[in-house]
Amino acid sequence: MSLILLTVFYSCQSEKSDFVSLFNGKNLDGWEIKNGTAPFTVEDGVIVGTYVGNTPNTFLCTKDSYSDFILTFESYLEDDANSGVMFRAQSTPEYMNGRVHGYQMEMDPSKRKWTGGIYDEARRKWLYNLERNPEAKNAFKLNEWNTFRIEAIGNNLRVWVNGVQTADLVDDVDDSGFIGLQVHSIGKKKEIEGRQVKFKNIKICTTNLEQNRKVIETPIVQNSYLTNQLSEREIAEGWKLLWDGKTTEGWRGAKLDAFPEEGWSIEDGMLIVADAGGEESENGGDIVTIKEYSSFELQVDFLLTEGANSGIKYFVDTELNKGKGSSIGCEFQILDDKRHPDAKRGKDGNRTLASLYDIITANAQKFNPDLPYNKKLVSRHEGKYIWNRARIVVNRADVEHYLNDILVVKYNRSGQQWRDQIAASKYKDWPNFGEAEAGNILLQDHGDQVFYKNIKIKEL
């Protein structure tokens, strides 16, 4: 036997011996039901969850907790019956009276096809959808057996569906927890009652993880939620923190030589613009990067308070508009559309969340999660707030706005069509608006409290 064949043989033998069954094929020993009352049974060596009315989400959970592991299993999902598998999941009396929460590998039969994405159940919602990994959308097959693989090693969480990688997430909120099989609540959808989700061949590996983890030949997009930190891959790809999470280094007031002495604060890794009654740039004023940028990918996490207005501007020229009001530049609008009157101004919604302010309307309402509000600042672990992620990609004249990884605006900032759009906007009196080769990046003080973190940039 050749050396290569011996290596493959022993590798396969090692992987096989490192995986142990979580389900004995006969009964539910080692498992317990949490959260709801949908029934789980064992039929012919298969765990069967049945959808019933009048119950919240029901989870069949391992009694043991797991930290670093590789989980493999097969699942069969019937039409319209949303499901998922929790991992490193939590259930504590102090959090929503014991409600199951945490990471969930989603099984999503809807038209958006986000099966294999990672959802933060009962907490932060979607952490990794499949909109930036469209090739993986068709990996999952309804009404068929599908194979799944979840790798949770350190703060890197990765998922495969039928051999296709669907998610690559970096997050450090939970490092250990139980595994749970979900029967999703069906609300008043009586037509779904009696449908089933099935699981079999559930195996876990907790040893020799580096040898057993999959080798990635063609990386998919990685999402990182490390607070004001870069992942190893982000560093390798050329990302840099635009704000270090601790100081004002690299920033100044848009109309100042230094950072504003009031109106902005830093607290618990968040950059906060103060509530000043909604007056535009009348308190601390806008802040801008000291450096100018041309082609780049910018990512910013933001948190709106009730009725708040702010914005992320780019190609800003701080020499323009030395008077009252905000500095001039292309703006990714940040707005509480439901409660701030500016959402109904402009034309056709072009002042709503994620729009190119007053110029191009974003298709953001369809995808933006409902924003719960709590005026008291609380830990992100408590789930009282939902952060949103803005992403702006500028490749010379081509620009894209993303909200929570959904492409909501796409435009070209050159040519006659662009100039016609500007002529119909409030920027019509600013010569060559938006056509500068480079400019500052700005966070707007519109007199409302807004929180920012995880501000990072990659120059293209």
Side-chain angles (χ1 to χ4, degrees):
M1 188 179 291
S2 71
L3 179 60
I4 293 177
L5 288 176
L6 278 170
T7 301
V8 172
F9 174 77
Y10 285 121
S11 175
C12 292
Q13 285 292 100
S14 174
E15 177 167 335
K16 184 176 180 180
S17 62
D18 288 335
F19 281 76
V20 297
S21 295
L22 286 180
F23 167 51
N24 62 22
K26 301 175 183 179
N27 54 48
L28 297 178
D29 287 354
W31 296 78
E32 58 186 348
I33 288 180
K34 295 180 182 288
N35 221 87
T37 58
F40 283 90
T41 56
V42 177
E43 302 175 16
D44 299 323
V46 175
I47 294 177
V48 179
T50 302
Y51 291 78
V52 297
N54 302 314
T55 178
N57 295 344
T58 305
F59 299 92
L60 180 66
C61 306
T62 59
K63 293 181 180 179
D64 292 333
S65 290
Y66 301 89
S67 53
D68 287 7
F69 61 84
I70 300 171
L71 178 72
T72 62
F73 59 95
E74 295 176 58
S75 185
Y76 184 109
L77 184 66
E78 296 182 349
D79 290 333
D80 301 321
N82 182 285
S83 183
V85 173
M86 304 290 300
F87 60 100
R88 291 184 179 174
Q90 312 294 313
S91 175
T92 57
E94 61 270 17
Y95 187 94
M96 301 177 73
N97 296 317
R99 180 170 175 175
V100 171
H101 61 282
Y103 304 126
Q104 180 183 161
M105 187 226 69
E106 181 79 8
M107 293 168 63
D108 178 12
S110 71
K111 293 180 180 179
R112 65 188 179 187
K113 298 182 177 180
W114 287 358
T115 293
I118 298 177
Y119 184 79
D120 195 1
E121 173 77 14
R123 196 164 51 185
R124 295 172 292 169
K125 301 195 176 184
W126 282 101
L127 301 178
Y128 197 109
N129 61 51
L130 270 61
E131 289 306 303
R132 294 179 62 201
N133 184 18
E135 296 81 4
K137 285 190 173 188
N138 294 319
F140 175 71
K141 308 298 181 185
L142 266 176
N143 300 305
E144 296 181 20
W145 283 101
N146 296 264
T147 61
F148 295 87
R149 181 184 183 97
I150 301 172
E151 294 185 355
I153 302 174
N155 57 28
N156 193 195
L157 313 176
R158 307 191 297 182
V159 178
W160 283 261
V161 179
N162 293 324
V164 178
Q165 189 175 8
T166 56
D168 187 341
L169 175 69
V170 178
D171 192 71
D172 61 356
V173 170
D174 295 318
D175 58 8
S176 179
F178 56 82
I179 292 163
L181 314 179
Q182 184 193 49
V183 169
H184 199 282
S185 170
I186 63 173
K188 298 180 180 180
K189 298 178 181 178
K190 292 185 178 181
E191 68 276 11
I192 302 178
E193 287 196 31
R195 292 187 184 173
Q196 297 178 330
V197 59
K198 303 176 182 180
F199 300 90
K200 66 179 181 180
N201 296 330
I202 308 170
K203 298 179 180 180
I204 196 166
C205 170
T206 58
T207 58
N208 297 320
L209 292 175
E210 288 303 319
Q211 293 91 329
N212 288 318
R213 74 186 306 180
K214 274 191 175 289
V215 176
I216 306 298
E217 295 181 357
T218 306
I220 63 172
V221 170
Q222 183 183 87
N223 278 2
S224 175
Y225 286 87
L226 300 181
T227 302
N228 303 318
Q229 300 177 57
L230 297 175
S231 70
E232 291 182 4
R233 181 171 161 188
E234 285 176 325
I235 294 171
E237 291 178 348
W239 285 90
K240 294 183 179 179
L241 289 177
L242 201 54
W243 177 57
D244 63 15
K246 300 175 183 178
T247 72
T248 62
E249 184 177 353
W251 293 80
R252 64 174 175 85
K255 300 175 183 179
L256 302 171
D257 294 328
F259 198 86
E261 295 183 359
E262 60 181 6
W264 292 83
S265 60
I266 296 171
E267 181 181 343
D268 296 330
M270 296 177 291
L271 184 59
I272 308 169
V273 57
D275 183 358
E279 293 295 322
E280 182 180 346
S281 298
E282 288 295 305
N283 192 22
D286 303 336
I287 59 172
V288 297
T289 56
I290 293 173
K291 182 178 177 179
E292 294 186 350
Y293 296 89
S294 53
S295 289
F296 58 87
E297 184 173 343
L298 172 70
Q299 189 168 283
V300 181
D301 289 350
F302 66 92
L303 176 73
L304 285 163
T305 54
E306 187 170 357
N309 184 352
S310 185
I312 304 167
K313 296 187 180 184
Y314 48 103
F315 295 111
V316 172
D317 183 348
T318 57
E319 293 303 309
L320 297 176
N321 191 27
K322 287 288 193 176
K324 284 183 172 290
S326 184
S327 290
I328 301 300
C330 300
E331 180 178 355
F332 181 113
Q333 170 76 314
I334 292 179
L335 193 77
D336 177 359
D337 291 344
K338 293 181 180 179
R339 298 167 178 84
H340 196 287
D342 208 28
K344 297 180 180 179
R345 296 168 183 161
K347 297 179 182 178
D348 302 321
N350 64 8
R351 295 188 180 185
T352 55
L353 179 63
S355 294
L356 176 63
Y357 178 74
D358 206 60
I359 302 170
I360 300 175
T361 303
N363 181 23
Q365 290 299 316
K366 181 177 180 181
F367 302 106
N368 185 48
D370 291 332
L371 299 172
Y373 299 102
N374 187 321
K375 293 183 179 179
K376 180 181 178 182
L377 182 62
V378 295
S379 165
R380 65 194 173 110
H381 296 262
E382 296 181 48
K384 298 291 180 68
Y385 286 128
I386 293 178
W387 287 81
N388 287 264
R389 175 161 287 182
R391 180 170 172 261
I392 301 168
V393 181
V394 178
N395 192 348
R396 297 178 184 268
D398 294 318
V399 184
E400 297 173 335
H401 287 189
Y402 291 79
L403 178 66
N404 300 327
D405 288 328
I406 308 293
L407 177 62
V408 293
V409 167
K410 186 174 184 178
Y411 69 98
N412 184 286
R413 60 187 186 96
S414 66
Q416 190 57 47
Q417 182 179 3
W418 171 251
R419 296 185 184 103
D420 290 343
Q421 289 173 313
I422 300 308
S425 76
K426 65 183 292 184
Y427 301 109
K428 61 183 182 297
D429 295 329
W430 299 100
N432 303 315
F433 175 84
E435 297 185 39
E437 291 187 6
N440 306 93
I441 291 169
L442 175 150
L443 299 180
Q444 186 184 44
D445 170 16
H446 209 290
D448 297 317
Q449 187 181 48
V450 178
F451 301 81
Y452 292 99
K453 66 177 181 179
N454 298 339
I455 307 172
K456 62 187 75 170
I457 195 165
K458 178 172 70 172
E459 295 187 73
L460 304 179

